[in-house]
Amino acid sequence: MARKPEIQYVRYYSVGTAAKVLERQPVAPKPKVQVKKAPVHRIVVSFDPIAVIGTMVAVVMLVCMLAGIVHLAKVNDEIAAMESYVSTLQSQNTRLQAQYRESFDLQTVKTTAESMGLVPKDQVRHITVRIPEPVVEKEPSWWESVVTNFKELFA
């Protein structure tokens, strides 16, 4: 490559003046000092621990999610079974109530009760017995017991 001429913007010397001509001294390039580099001890990691831990966490979360889905399916099956059981019990209850209403006659019950000696409530003589309640003495509070004990000291 061809060397480009140096551009000089300020010249202190011009031809025909009394100023001294400044001679340029060649600038010697500074010798490059070779710095010894410290030996690099590279630790070779065959895997990235953060990536492995992240993958393990993702797998654990996936397993937990699948276990939750299985559990949810079981609970839904149990709910369906309970709903069918409740509907069966409700229909059985309706049937049994209808059977109960048809099975007795109020006139027959009244006749049977009178034959056993039962009578209506308004025909029975009522006797009221009053028992006096025993008077419960109020136990003194902590402060009252302290005052009583203090008075007994000076009695």
Side-chain angles (χ1 to χ4, degrees):
M1 282 179 66
R3 193 167 185 199
K4 294 184 179 179
E6 295 181 14
I7 300 174
Q8 296 179 358
Y9 293 103
V10 179
R11 291 189 179 195
Y12 296 104
Y13 175 78
S14 57
V15 180
T17 62
K20 293 183 180 178
V21 176
L22 298 175
E23 291 183 21
R24 289 191 175 180
Q25 296 193 3
V27 178
K30 292 182 182 178
K32 293 184 180 178
V33 178
Q34 299 239 347
V35 179
K36 290 184 179 179
K37 294 183 180 178
V40 178
H41 296 289
R42 291 190 177 202
I43 300 172
V44 178
V45 179
S46 60
F47 63 92
D48 186 12
I50 295 175
V52 171
I53 291 172
T55 304
M56 288 184 352
V57 167
V59 168
V60 168
M61 289 175 68
L62 180 66
V63 168
C64 289
M65 188 177 71
L66 293 175
I69 290 172
V70 168
H71 183 69
L72 182 64
K74 286 182 183 178
V75 168
N76 284 337
D77 291 342
E78 289 176 8
I79 288 173
M82 279 296 151
E83 286 176 350
S84 66
Y85 181 66
V86 166
S87 66
T88 304
L89 287 178
Q90 285 175 343
S91 65
Q92 184 180 5
N93 185 25
T94 331
R95 183 179 49 81
L96 288 175
Q97 282 181 351
Q99 181 182 358
Y100 173 74
R101 277 188 234 106
E102 293 172 0
S103 68
F104 71 91
D105 182 23
L106 285 179
Q107 190 61 32
T108 310
V109 171
K110 185 176 181 180
T111 309
T112 309
E114 287 175 353
S115 67
M116 293 173 72
L118 299 175
V119 292
K121 183 179 179 181
D122 54 350
Q123 294 178 4
V124 179
R125 185 176 133 206
H126 295 280
I127 301 173
T128 306
V129 178
R130 301 202 186 272
I131 300 174
E133 293 184 24
V135 179
V136 179
E137 293 185 16
K138 182 179 161 189
E139 191 166 321
S141 67
W142 176 80
W143 179 250
E144 291 173 348
S145 65
V146 169
V147 169
T148 307
N149 289 338
F150 187 72
K151 285 181 181 178
E152 288 177 358
L153 285 174
F154 293 105

